[in-house]
Amino acid sequence: MARRELIVLIFFIYAVALVSANKFTVGDEHGWNPNVNYTIWAEKHKPFYVGDWLVFYYQSGQADVIQVDEVGYNKCDASNPISNYSKGRSYAFQLNHTKNYYFICSYGYCYGGMKLAIKAQALPPPSPPPKAHKSDAFSVVGSRFVGSIAGFFGLVTAFWLF
């Protein structure tokens, strides 16, 4: 019975680790700034999955984060934004759907490469838990049994002596 509970616990921990989202700082230590190649950055960090977070760090008043469609991305056109954010110094965006996401800066830096295209994929199915060998299960149960008997005789001896 304990073996089954242990396997269920291990599977649960594994499943939680699998579905936990990743947080990506766009541009790494460079942040969301001009003169960073975000195409290379995205290639370095892919794959991106639904549930992951993109965090943009930028200089207040000198940059913004505009989500656009593919046409807006290719033309650096922010006139029809899907969403935009320019307050503060950071912006966190969660990839909620399996699709392509496009971000640009509308302060003119997009033409110099300050734009990002991300493809969010569905999470892959979890791998099955490893199969336990009968000898492994016996050694765990056997060692517990031997430990229990030793503990029992230790208690009996202690009560007998005192």
Side-chain angles (χ1 to χ4, degrees), residues 18-51:
L18 256 181
V19 298
S20 60
N22 291 314
K23 181 185 96 169
F24 297 95
T25 298
V26 175
D28 294 326
E29 68 275 358
H30 303 292
W32 182 240
N33 285 299
N35 304 316
V36 176
N37 188 325
Y38 293 101
T39 303
I40 291 174
W41 178 87
E43 285 294 317
K44 174 183 167 187
H45 292 288
K46 76 178 188 180
F48 297 93
Y49 295 108
V50 172

XYZ file of all heavy atoms in Angstrom, residues 18-51:
279
model
N 5.660 19.769 -14.309
C 5.447 19.860 -15.742
C 4.543 21.022 -16.126
O 4.769 21.675 -17.130
C 4.815 18.564 -16.245
C 5.717 17.599 -16.977
C 4.926 16.391 -17.428
C 6.435 18.222 -18.116
N 3.505 21.258 -15.358
C 2.537 22.268 -15.747
C 2.878 23.655 -15.225
O 2.184 24.600 -15.535
C 1.100 21.893 -15.306
C 0.658 20.617 -15.967
C 0.978 21.796 -13.805
N 3.926 23.788 -14.447
C 4.279 25.108 -13.958
C 4.845 25.927 -15.111
O 5.615 25.438 -15.918
C 5.274 25.017 -12.800
O 6.441 24.367 -13.217
N 4.433 27.162 -15.200
C 4.825 28.031 -16.298
C 6.229 28.580 -16.087
O 6.699 28.724 -14.962
C 3.824 29.179 -16.405
N 6.872 28.883 -17.192
C 8.173 29.530 -17.152
C 8.002 31.032 -17.279
O 7.068 31.508 -17.928
C 9.059 29.028 -18.294
C 9.468 27.593 -18.103
O 9.881 27.199 -17.024
N 9.355 26.800 -19.154
N 8.915 31.765 -16.678
C 8.935 33.226 -16.787
C 10.188 33.596 -17.560
O 11.294 33.218 -17.175
C 8.954 33.869 -15.406
C 8.943 35.389 -15.452
C 9.088 35.980 -14.078
C 10.546 36.292 -13.899
N 10.904 37.078 -12.761
N 10.015 34.311 -18.652
C 11.127 34.732 -19.493
C 11.279 36.242 -19.428
O 10.322 36.981 -19.679
C 10.889 34.321 -20.950
C 10.821 32.838 -21.156
C 9.602 32.185 -21.181
C 11.977 32.095 -21.315
C 9.528 30.816 -21.373
C 11.918 30.722 -21.502
C 10.700 30.079 -21.538
N 12.465 36.708 -19.115
C 12.767 38.136 -19.186
C 13.182 38.411 -20.618
O 14.233 37.945 -21.079
C 13.896 38.523 -18.216
O 13.463 38.242 -16.884
C 14.253 39.989 -18.338
N 12.357 39.160 -21.337
C 12.612 39.442 -22.746
C 13.917 40.227 -22.862
O 14.088 41.262 -22.221
C 11.429 40.219 -23.368
C 11.747 40.624 -24.801
C 10.157 39.391 -23.306
N 14.838 39.690 -23.656
C 16.142 40.317 -23.839
C 17.147 39.967 -22.766
O 18.252 40.504 -22.759
N 16.762 39.077 -21.841
C 17.623 38.693 -20.714
C 18.102 39.935 -19.968
O 17.276 40.784 -19.639
C 18.780 37.801 -21.181
C 18.299 36.454 -21.709
O 17.294 35.936 -21.183
O 18.919 35.927 -22.650
N 19.406 40.053 -19.743
C 19.924 41.178 -18.948
C 19.835 42.511 -19.694
O 19.948 43.567 -19.080
C 21.373 40.909 -18.506
C 22.399 40.893 -19.616
C 22.520 39.542 -20.325
O 21.835 38.572 -19.944
O 23.314 39.468 -21.285
N 19.598 42.482 -21.008
C 19.479 43.725 -21.785
C 18.078 44.318 -21.714
O 17.897 45.513 -21.987
C 19.854 43.480 -23.249
C 21.234 42.924 -23.415
N 22.374 43.638 -23.138
C 21.646 41.693 -23.811
C 23.438 42.881 -23.368
N 23.017 41.691 -23.770
N 17.090 43.511 -21.393
C 15.714 43.985 -21.308
C 15.136 44.317 -22.674
O 15.616 43.883 -23.712
N 14.067 45.096 -22.633
C 13.357 45.526 -23.851
C 13.930 46.879 -24.231
O 13.467 47.922 -23.788
C 11.863 45.583 -23.554
C 10.938 45.948 -24.663
C 10.093 47.021 -24.679
C 10.698 45.235 -25.883
N 9.353 47.021 -25.834
C 9.709 45.923 -26.596
C 11.229 44.083 -26.448
C 9.229 45.514 -27.831
C 10.754 43.661 -27.681
C 9.767 44.375 -28.359
N 14.991 46.869 -25.023
C 15.742 48.073 -25.376
C 16.204 47.991 -26.819
O 16.289 46.902 -27.391
C 16.976 48.214 -24.459
C 16.594 48.678 -23.073
O 16.049 49.754 -22.896
N 16.874 47.837 -22.075
N 16.569 49.135 -27.404
C 17.126 49.117 -28.764
C 18.441 48.341 -28.805
O 19.088 48.112 -27.774
C 17.369 50.606 -29.067
C 16.565 51.361 -28.066
C 16.432 50.474 -26.868
N 18.832 47.950 -29.998
C 20.107 47.279 -30.263
C 20.212 45.889 -29.645
O 21.305 45.444 -29.285
C 21.290 48.148 -29.822
C 21.264 49.514 -30.480
O 21.014 49.624 -31.677
N 21.484 50.549 -29.695
N 19.074 45.208 -29.494
C 19.055 43.815 -29.037
C 18.381 43.009 -30.136
O 17.340 43.413 -30.656
C 18.277 43.663 -27.705
C 18.195 42.200 -27.305
C 18.904 44.506 -26.608
N 18.949 41.869 -30.490
C 18.366 41.029 -31.517
C 17.371 40.075 -30.849
O 17.757 39.052 -30.287
C 19.451 40.259 -32.270
C 18.902 39.532 -33.477
O 17.771 39.041 -33.474
N 19.706 39.440 -34.527
N 16.096 40.413 -30.933
C 15.065 39.613 -30.263
C 14.730 38.334 -31.024
O 14.189 37.402 -30.430
C 13.817 40.466 -30.008
C 14.113 41.551 -29.010
C 14.353 42.854 -29.422
C 14.227 41.259 -27.660
C 14.679 43.839 -28.501
C 14.553 42.229 -26.734
C 14.779 43.517 -27.165
O 15.112 44.480 -26.249
N 15.083 38.269 -32.292
C 14.906 37.025 -33.042
C 15.856 35.968 -32.487
O 15.455 34.823 -32.248
C 15.156 37.250 -34.546
O 14.265 38.269 -35.009
C 14.945 35.970 -35.341
N 17.104 36.348 -32.268
C 18.075 35.424 -31.679
C 17.662 35.068 -30.257
O 17.762 33.914 -29.838
C 19.499 36.025 -31.718
C 19.996 36.096 -33.164
C 20.461 35.206 -30.861
C 21.326 36.807 -33.339
N 17.181 36.050 -29.497
C 16.739 35.789 -28.126
C 15.623 34.736 -28.113
O 15.643 33.798 -27.316
C 16.264 37.078 -27.452
C 15.768 36.831 -26.070
C 16.509 36.805 -24.920
C 14.427 36.518 -25.674
N 15.715 36.486 -23.849
C 14.437 36.308 -24.287
C 13.228 36.389 -26.357
C 13.282 35.995 -23.574
C 12.086 36.068 -25.649
C 12.121 35.874 -24.270
N 14.634 34.889 -28.995
C 13.509 33.944 -29.048
C 13.982 32.551 -29.449
O 13.527 31.548 -28.881
C 12.440 34.449 -30.013
N 14.898 32.463 -30.402
C 15.440 31.163 -30.809
C 16.169 30.485 -29.655
O 16.074 29.274 -29.482
C 16.396 31.330 -31.999
C 15.708 31.587 -33.313
C 14.884 30.408 -33.786
O 15.354 29.255 -33.679
O 13.767 30.634 -34.270
N 16.871 31.278 -28.878
C 17.631 30.743 -27.739
C 16.711 30.160 -26.667
O 17.047 29.173 -26.028
C 18.477 31.875 -27.143
C 19.221 31.523 -25.881
C 19.955 32.753 -25.351
C 20.446 32.526 -23.949
N 21.015 33.748 -23.368
N 15.551 30.757 -26.472
C 14.667 30.371 -25.367
C 13.493 29.478 -25.766
O 12.766 29.015 -24.893
C 14.144 31.617 -24.659
C 15.216 32.357 -23.936
N 15.786 31.891 -22.778
C 15.842 33.517 -24.220
C 16.711 32.738 -22.364
N 16.773 33.732 -23.235
N 13.277 29.263 -27.059
C 12.131 28.441 -27.441
C 12.358 26.997 -27.073
O 13.513 26.595 -26.906
C 11.809 28.629 -28.925
C 12.735 27.935 -29.895
C 12.260 28.167 -31.313
C 13.067 27.302 -32.256
N 12.664 27.467 -33.621
N 11.348 26.218 -26.904
C 9.949 26.490 -27.201
C 9.266 27.263 -26.077
O 9.656 27.184 -24.913
C 9.344 25.095 -27.335
C 10.165 24.246 -26.418
C 11.555 24.827 -26.474
N 8.252 28.003 -26.456
C 7.394 28.704 -25.511
C 6.068 27.957 -25.472
O 5.574 27.507 -26.507
C 7.161 30.153 -25.958
C 8.431 30.959 -25.995
C 9.173 31.073 -27.163
C 8.887 31.610 -24.861
C 10.343 31.803 -27.199
C 10.054 32.357 -24.878
C 10.787 32.448 -26.050
N 5.515 27.838 -24.272
C 4.278 27.075 -24.107
C 3.159 27.950 -23.548
O 3.428 28.964 -22.885
C 4.503 25.887 -23.160
C 5.456 24.869 -23.723
C 6.737 24.730 -23.206
C 5.074 24.038 -24.774
C 7.612 23.793 -23.733
C 5.947 23.101 -25.299
C 7.210 22.985 -24.780
O 8.077 22.058 -25.300
N 1.940 27.536 -23.816
C 0.776 28.209 -23.235
C 0.957 28.197 -21.718
O 1.295 27.169 -21.131
C -0.533 27.499 -23.649
C -1.722 28.065 -22.887
C -0.745 27.613 -25.146
N 0.759 29.353 -21.104
C 0.944 29.501 -19.667
C 2.246 30.191 -19.304
O 2.392 30.703 -18.201
